[in-house]
Amino acid sequence: MSLRSKLAELAGLLALKAVRFGPGMGRSFPGWTVIKVGDFDAVRELARRPEYGVVLITGTNGKTTTTRLACALLAEDAKVSCNYDSNTINAVTTGLLKGRKAELVVTEYGIRSREYGIPDIVCELVDPLAIAYTTISKEHFRENADKEDPFGAYFEAKRLLARPLKDGVLILNADDPRVTYIRDEKRGDPVEYVLYGLDVEIEDLTPPTEELECPACGGELNYETRYFNHKGLYSCRDCEFSRPDPNVAVVRLKGGPDEWKVTLSYDVTNAVTGERLEGEFTYELQLPGLHNVYNSVCAISLYLAVTPRPEDPEGTIPRVIEGLDPLEFIPPGRFEVLNVGGKPVGVGQGDNGDAFKANANLMLSVAGNVEVCVYTTPDENEYPIFEMHRIVLRALDPDELHVFPGRESVEAAEGYYEELAEEFDAEFHSIPHDRMREKVEEMRRVCEEADGPVFASGCGPEHEMWEALKRELRGG
């Protein structure tokens, strides 16, 4: 390790100690300090420290839960350092700094845009052992608003993370056409693949929030089965692009919506030992929604691909998954169905079509119907998200719809409300972003006064508003 990199590490460690005693910047400031002192060479040298390497987990939804599950599994076989809620090179570097004595570093890496996330540079610097993708859905229009095709720019940024990878393993959701397309783009590169997905007979409860074009040729995708939104068994009408057979497949799925019995079949070559791992096992998952089944299968696929000690996966995986406290794996602000005055009230963040739809499906599984919706709108420049939300609202068909600004622009929220008022018995609550406490109190009042099941979801400040509403509904 060069003298400059040693100084950078020392400065980063001092910054780690400093942020423990002050608010904010805890995830990014130590990493920023390392880069400021030692430049990118210091990041590269930190990434070489773990004996087996670094794992990056990305996607639109499910990153945090998948990272937590993967870490719990890998910690059975190795000394693991885990990093959550990382969206920048600074936060990733903080994770490397914390994991400098670990055998494996596992870090969530959310990518919002190429400029903000520099994903290709991150991949080159970190040289990951593995990259895992959960899903890729329409989101982050604001971060790419200056682009001609904002979502296209976001999709490109996600794919850029994998593009420089030449010697590692990609864990990909075979049921998601956009994620599968990453493999097609990298044909010819010396990369191993672990594809995961469902091979069961289930159908989505609500209509798809978007019609996907084939990512390979732009043609029409036909679906034999839709498991959830754009994830399912698909093939292109105009080219050979289609859903590949997964290496890790859910072959039986029972239960739901809060508890699942999952049977997995797997055939994976471990990237650390070179062993071929084959078999089938069943585990019980106490997490709500089909999206969490996907998260668990992604985490298990990652475990099978990179654990340095894969002696007993069929014993380790069920034991760890079934021993987890489900409350620890529901991130702050995420959707939960509460009992409020004897009626179900579903509350939680739904910033994009996938998340909003997952919340609605879970609500319908629990309650059967929805009488009142509390909907928090996207911001300006986020009309595509509103269009996806509106499809789900139509499927829920509430008797009453209460519309609140979910982000900063009250004017944009009122425009969305006016469109919804043409279809629903709707009321607009024009409480701005900076009067959060008042907004939460009004949302609580609507939820408590409703006679039947309530669905409260949409956009909002990360975690804060939804956690506050849940606390109020639970009695403070």
Side-chain angles (χ1 to χ4, degrees):
M1 199 174 198
S2 70
L3 177 60
R4 188 179 180 188
S5 293
K6 288 179 180 177
L7 290 173
E9 181 179 342
L10 178 60
L13 292 173
L14 291 172
L16 266 179
K17 289 184 178 181
V19 295
R20 292 174 185 170
F21 302 103
M25 294 293 287
R27 299 194 184 280
S28 59
F29 180 64
W32 177 87
T33 304
V34 168
I35 296 170
K36 189 72 174 176
V37 175
D39 209 345
F40 282 163
D41 286 341
V43 181
R44 189 177 286 108
E45 294 198 38
L46 278 174
R48 293 182 184 137
R49 297 277 286 275
E51 180 178 353
Y52 300 112
V54 179
V55 173
L56 302 176
I57 298 174
T58 194
T60 302
N61 297 309
K63 299 182 295 295
T64 301
T65 301
T66 299
T67 302
R68 290 183 181 277
L69 291 171
C71 287
L73 290 166
L74 289 166
E76 292 293 302
D77 299 341
K79 186 177 180 181
V80 178
S81 178
C82 293
N83 195 43
Y84 310 107
D85 293 330
S86 300
N87 293 310
T88 66
I89 181 67
N90 295 335
V92 170
T93 304
T94 299
L96 296 175
L97 186 67
K98 291 178 178 178
R100 66 198 182 282
K101 296 181 180 180
E103 293 178 302
L104 272 170
V105 171
V106 181
T107 180
E108 174 185 346
Y109 180 40
I111 306 162
R112 297 175 180 177
S113 68
R114 181 174 189 170
E115 294 78 9
Y116 184 78
I118 55 171
D120 46 347
I121 294 173
V122 168
C123 184
E124 290 170 354
L125 292 173
V126 170
D127 189 22
L129 169 66
I131 302 173
Y133 282 80
T134 57
T135 67
I136 299 177
S137 304
K138 286 188 174 180
E139 194 177 55
H140 293 305
F141 289 88
R142 288 187 302 166
E143 288 82 353
N144 295 282
D146 60 330
K147 306 295 192 303
E148 184 177 344
D149 178 4
F151 175 70
Y154 170 66
F155 184 27
E156 168 73 4
K158 287 292 188 189
R159 290 166 15 232
L160 273 174
L161 179 64
R163 199 163 292 165
L165 189 69
K166 302 299 181 188
D167 183 20
V169 57
L170 282 170
I171 293 91
L172 304 177
N173 187 339
D175 296 348
D176 187 324
R178 294 188 182 113
V179 174
T180 297
Y181 182 56
I182 293 169
R183 183 193 66 163
D184 285 48
E185 282 191 313
K186 289 187 65 63
R187 286 194 186 278
D189 285 349
V191 175
E192 298 296 325
Y193 298 93
V194 175
L195 299 163
Y196 65 92
L198 308 186
D199 273 337
V200 293
E201 293 184 3
I202 59 172
E203 287 286 348
D204 202 342
L205 291 177
T206 52
T209 59
E210 56 174 320
E211 290 299 332
L212 217 65
E213 293 180 344
C214 173
C217 75
E220 181 182 345
L221 279 183
N222 295 323
Y223 280 81
E224 178 185 333
T225 302
R226 285 186 189 265
Y227 294 133
F228 175 71
N229 221 8
H230 64 277
K231 290 173 279 296
L233 306 181
Y234 53 84
S235 61
C236 179
R237 188 181 63 180
D238 301 324
C239 74
E240 296 181 354
F241 182 79
S242 63
R243 188 262 203 171
D245 292 332
N247 306 96
V248 182
V250 177
V251 293
R252 286 188 294 279
L253 183 63
K254 297 180 179 179
D258 295 319
E259 297 182 8
W260 303 88
K261 190 170 185 179
V262 185
T263 301
L264 276 188
S265 173
Y266 65 97
D267 183 353
V268 174
T269 298
N270 182 278
V272 176
T273 67
E275 295 177 62
R276 185 176 179 183
L277 309 176
E278 298 178 86
E280 184 175 299
F281 62 92
T282 299
Y283 63 97
E284 294 184 3
L285 178 70
Q286 296 187 37
L287 289 176
L290 185 65
H291 58 290
N292 276 318
V293 174
Y294 271 110
N295 293 338
S296 72
V297 179
C298 181
I300 290 167
S301 301
L302 179 58
Y303 170 80
L304 292 169
V306 304
T307 177
R309 300 175 184 92
E311 285 81 10
D312 184 27
E314 295 180 16
T316 299
I317 295 169
R319 174 172 53 79
V320 172
I321 296 288
E322 292 171 10
L324 297 173
D325 180 355
L327 294 179
E328 294 180 3
F329 287 81
I330 300 176
R334 302 303 163 90
F335 193 78
E336 296 179 75
V337 181
L338 312 176
N339 185 316
V340 179
K343 63 177 180 289
V345 176
V347 180
Q349 187 122 339
D351 272 355
N352 56 60
D354 260 18
F356 196 68
K357 181 181 175 65
N359 296 347
N361 283 2
L362 178 57
M363 185 70 193
L364 290 176
S365 296
V366 172
N369 72 303
V370 169
E371 290 192 15
V372 174
C373 273
V374 174
Y375 171 56
T376 55
T377 65
D379 213 335
E380 57 186 355
N381 299 319
E382 292 187 319
Y383 193 81
I385 293 176
F386 169 70
E387 289 182 310
M388 293 186 286
H389 285 171
R390 180 162 54 179
I391 290 170
V392 176
L393 290 171
R394 287 169 179 161
L396 292 174
D397 192 25
D399 295 335
E400 298 176 23
L401 177 62
H402 293 263
V403 180
F404 290 78
R407 297 206 192 274
E408 294 185 8
S409 175
V410 176
E411 183 179 353
E414 188 169 12
Y416 297 136
Y417 157 74
E418 288 172 356
E419 291 196 37
L420 291 170
E422 295 177 2
E423 301 183 57
F424 300 94
D425 180 4
E427 180 178 345
F428 185 53
H429 304 258
S430 58
I431 306 173
H433 191 67
D434 58 1
R435 288 157 51 193
M436 183 65 66
R437 185 175 182 83
E438 181 183 342
K439 184 187 297 187
V440 170
E441 283 296 317
E442 181 67 2
M443 292 166 69
R444 177 194 60 77
R445 181 190 65 78
V446 172
C447 291
E448 290 182 343
E449 291 181 358
D451 293 329
V454 181
F455 176 75
S457 187
C459 297
E462 292 289 336
H463 313 325
E464 177 187 354
M465 183 175 70
W466 301 110
E467 281 304 300
L469 179 56
K470 283 190 270 189
R471 284 196 302 270
E472 290 293 321
L473 291 171
R474 288 181 172 125

